[in-house]
Amino acid sequence: MSERFDCHYCRDPLHGKKYVQKEGRHCCVKCFEKFCANTCAECRKPIGADSKELHFKNRYWHDTCFKCFKCYTSLVNEPFTLKENNKVWCSQCTTLQDAPRCKACLKPIVAGDQNVEYKKTVWHKECFTCSQCKQVIGTGSFFPKGDDVYCVSCHEHKFAKLCVKCKNPIASGGVSYQDQPWHSECFVCTTCKKQLGGQRFTAVEDEFYCVDCYKKFVAKKCSGCNNPITGFGKGSSVVSYEGQSWHDYCFNCKKCSHPLANKRFVCQNEQIYCPDCAKKL
């Protein structure tokens, strides 16, 4: 009598039938799929004895189920990445998925793409355009304004102040005088054309003069010392009488030299005297 050769689980005889040996036990194909087969991580069905099985990190797949989750390309004998939820990705889809996204077109920026980055935001170079004229800024100069960016030309016309003198936009810097904006190169001395930004100057009837030119060409001459009367430093107070002007410290009695600014005086023969000295003439 021959020895019995039965399925370990259902005890059906296996002589002349297809069977599977698993961990030293013999079982029929039906019982193998029911009790022993690994479950495919993709389709969740048993991987039968007639199927090709792939495994990675204690996970199992039918060879026909081992495809990229994104593009469905077969990954048998291909590089892959296992991501969340036991999904496998091909190398190309992994690169695209993990790549930063362009703020404008929302498409991935992959290695080799020219891009522009500003404040942790990134664009394709050709997507980085002016919010006003829509021209590509690329790696050129630009001005941010809220969530928008502007090329130099559009920013000047849309936001920049206009110079009082030349009426052109002031892109950067400039000078402010009496709440009016000027280009630094436009705010100059009327006579010598020296730039006055950060320098002492005097305004006379909407014209500006540096200290030297004001003294030389504009300031009145003191009838006492014959030097210019300016608003710079000592001599800022002026005494005027019948078309003549004096520094306040030069307006003294011709005879006794007593200061007469803001005091009574007598003018005789174009000379200034205190009342007491005038009586003695």
Side-chain angles (χ1 to χ4, degrees):
M1 179 180 292
S2 62
E3 183 180 353
R4 291 187 62 82
F5 187 53
D6 300 336
C7 173
H8 174 77
Y9 296 98
C10 67
R11 311 312 298 175
D12 284 351
L14 297 177
H15 284 290
K17 297 180 180 180
K18 188 174 183 178
Y19 67 91
V20 179
Q21 184 173 349
K22 179 87 170 182
E23 296 176 352
R25 299 170 180 173
H26 303 90
C27 58
C28 64
V29 172
K30 186 176 180 180
C31 288
F32 173 79
E33 292 183 354
K34 185 176 181 179
F35 300 110
C36 303
N38 294 311
T39 300
C40 176
E42 180 61 27
C43 70
R44 311 306 301 170
K45 295 179 180 180
I47 303 174
D50 294 329
S51 300
K52 290 184 179 180
E53 179 182 271
L54 301 174
H55 65 90
F56 178 73
K57 290 187 176 180
N58 296 322
R59 296 171 177 82
Y60 302 87
W61 293 265
H62 294 102
D63 64 337
T64 54
C65 292
F66 197 62
K67 299 178 180 179
C68 174
F69 172 72
K70 195 74 174 176
C71 68
Y72 305 110
T73 299
S74 174
L75 294 177
V76 178
N77 298 322
E78 297 293 338
F80 66 91
T81 300
L82 183 66
K83 296 173 77 71
E84 62 275 4
N85 299 323
N86 289 331
K87 301 300 182 182
V88 288
W89 294 61
C90 67
S91 298
Q92 183 176 359
C93 289
T94 299
T95 299
L96 294 176
Q97 179 70 15
D98 295 341
R101 298 274 167 171
C102 172
K103 183 181 179 182
C105 70
L106 303 180
K107 294 180 180 179
I109 298 174
V110 298
D113 286 348
Q114 289 186 308
N115 63 84
V116 177
E117 185 173 352
Y118 176 70
K119 288 189 174 180
K120 298 182 179 180
T121 303
V122 65
W123 294 259
H124 291 107
K125 182 180 177 181
E126 63 273 16
C127 293
F128 192 61
T129 59
C130 174
S131 299
Q132 182 76 15
C133 68
K134 307 305 179 185
Q135 294 297 310
V136 175
I137 297 174
T139 55
S141 299
F142 67 93
F143 290 87
K145 202 77 171 180
D147 291 333
D148 296 324
V149 291
Y150 296 89
C151 65
V152 174
S153 177
C154 288
H155 183 269
E156 287 182 353
H157 286 91
K158 190 174 179 67
F159 300 106
K161 296 179 179 179
L162 298 181
C163 175
V164 173
K165 184 175 182 180
C166 70
K167 309 303 180 185
N168 290 321
I170 301 173
S172 61
V175 176
S176 179
Y177 175 68
Q178 293 186 342
D179 295 326
Q180 292 183 315
W182 304 69
H183 288 112
S184 296
E185 59 270 23
C186 291
F187 193 67
V188 297
C189 174
T190 299
T191 304
C192 70
K193 307 305 178 184
K194 180 174 68 176
Q195 291 189 17
L196 297 177
Q199 306 297 319
R200 293 195 304 170
F201 66 92
T202 296
V204 180
E205 297 179 354
D206 296 327
E207 300 288 350
F208 304 106
Y209 298 90
C210 66
V211 174
D212 292 338
C213 288
Y214 178 76
K215 289 180 178 179
K216 186 175 181 179
F217 301 108
V218 182
K220 294 180 179 180
K221 299 299 187 292
C222 175
S223 296
C225 67
N226 205 37
N227 289 321
I229 301 173
T230 71
F232 310 106
K234 186 177 179 181
S236 58
S237 296
V238 181
V239 178
S240 296
Y241 178 72
E242 292 187 352
Q244 292 181 289
S245 299
W246 292 261
H247 295 109
D248 59 349
Y249 56 83
C250 291
F251 194 65
N252 303 325
C253 175
K254 178 67 176 178
K255 192 171 184 65
C256 69
S257 300
H258 185 74
L260 296 176
N262 299 317
K263 296 179 181 179
R264 293 177 61 192
F265 64 91
V266 175
C267 182
Q268 188 169 331
N269 298 326
E270 297 185 353
Q271 298 296 326
I272 303 301
Y273 299 93
C274 66
D276 291 340
C277 288
K279 293 176 182 179
K280 299 176 182 179
L281 295 176

